[in-house]
Structures are given as C-alpha cells and as structure tokens.
Amino acid sequence: MAKLERFTTEYVVQEDRIRLSGELAGGETVVLWLTQRLVRHLVPHLTGWLEAQLPPAGGHAAVQATHQDMVQGFAQQAARAQLAPEPPVRAQSPVASWRVDVVHIARSADAVVLTLQGEAEAQQAVVPLPAHALRQWLGIVYDQCLRGDWPTTAWPAWMEAGAPAHAQLGSVVVH
C-alpha cells in the first residue's frame, strides 16, 4: 500500500474526472482518478467529520445550524487563506494509474486517513489528512467541482466561504 507524500488535485476536462497526481516516498508518481459519483458520496462523510470537530452551540436547532455554518465558514476561509502555493506534482511516467472505486475512511480525534482503492487489490494509496489539511483539500476539490460544472448539492453551504467566483476558475471553452 503506497502512501502519498504530496499530491496535486485537478479537474481534467477530457476525462470529466478529477485527477490526483501523487508523489510517493521514493519520488515515484501515481495517478488516481475520482469520478463525480465517488466525490458526491465521499463529501458528506468528510465534511460531516469536520462538523463533528466543533462542539454544538446551545439552544434551538435553528441556532445550532446557523452557528455551525458560521463557524465552519470561518474555519474554511482561514484554511483557504493559509494554503501556500507549491509546485504541482507532475506524473510524467507514473508507476501506476487507476480509477478510485472505493474510499475507506479511518477517523481519529484529529485526522482522517483515506485509503483510495482501485479495482485490483494492489491498487491502493493512503492519504493521511489532519483536520486543517482536509479542510484545504476539500476547498480544492470544491473548486475543481465548480470548474467541471459538477453539481454541488452534496456540499454544505459553508464550503462556499472563500471560494473563488465561478468566473475566476478559468476561461470557458466549449467543444
């Protein structure tokens, strides 16, 4: 099972998928593909874990929901603001490439570990994400969903905090 040391997340128009170009400990690279369906099912589990990290506000359910949205929105904005630019991972000749069919999520008090699995048993990559890194990555995935014009119904409203305007995601070319 390979551990991704760092990875680049980008929407690829020709595939209509999100590509994770990952770098392994030895410098080798892998390419993992996320489908819209998988992302749509994965998002509630990850955003739900982030929401559970904050204690609920007292009072009525409406007050709790508003409080949760505000606090999560501020935390998401802060995570986006602290995202430092890094050179992208370029998988020129990846040692492996597969479509992710299953994601196993292991949760602890301060992090999640994603095991991204393909069709074959050997197709597995591990991505540990502390809460702050998970928040940053989810912001990137959200932006890529917008870039691909994917539905955002699975995303909570607080994910929009700090998200670039749709027009800023790049020019639109129709083929």
Side-chain angles (χ1 to χ4, degrees):
M1 189 173 330
K3 178 184 173 194
L4 299 185
E5 298 295 323
R6 51 182 218 107
F7 56 95
T8 298
T9 305
E10 58 191 333
Y11 175 77
V12 177
V13 174
Q14 296 84 353
E15 297 285 338
D16 191 27
R17 295 181 185 181
I18 292 176
R19 176 176 56 208
L20 297 181
S21 301
E23 185 176 84
L24 307 174
E28 300 95 359
T29 57
V30 295
V31 172
L32 310 177
W33 294 95
L34 304 178
T35 62
Q36 181 182 143
R37 182 177 187 276
L38 181 81
V39 169
R40 191 177 65 239
H41 290 288
L42 180 61
V43 163
H45 294 283
L46 299 179
T47 56
W49 181 82
L50 287 171
E51 289 171 350
Q53 300 304 301
L54 297 174
H60 298 2
V63 171
Q64 288 178 355
T66 302
H67 177 264
Q68 184 73 251
D69 280 349
M70 286 176 43
V71 172
Q72 291 293 340
F74 288 141
Q76 190 61 36
Q77 225 172 355
R80 282 180 175 275
Q82 294 169 357
L83 189 59
E86 289 186 25
V89 173
R90 296 283 179 220
Q92 301 299 336
S93 51
V95 294
S97 178
W98 72 83
R99 183 192 66 240
V100 177
D101 292 335
V102 176
V103 178
H104 298 279
I105 305 168
R107 298 171 184 93
S108 70
D110 59 348
V112 295
V113 176
L114 305 179
T115 301
L116 309 169
Q117 186 176 328
E119 185 177 19
E121 188 175 322
Q123 295 174 326
Q124 290 188 8
V126 175
V127 181
L129 293 167
H132 189 71
L134 174 62
R135 210 174 265 292
Q136 290 177 327
W137 183 63
L138 283 173
I140 293 167
V141 173
Y142 181 79
D143 293 348
Q144 299 311 304
C145 288
L146 292 177
R147 185 180 303 267
D149 201 25
W150 288 3
T152 57
T153 53
W155 295 88
W158 54 261
M159 276 304 299
E160 294 178 25
H166 189 63
Q168 295 173 338
L169 291 175
S171 61
V172 175
V173 178
V174 179
H175 297 277

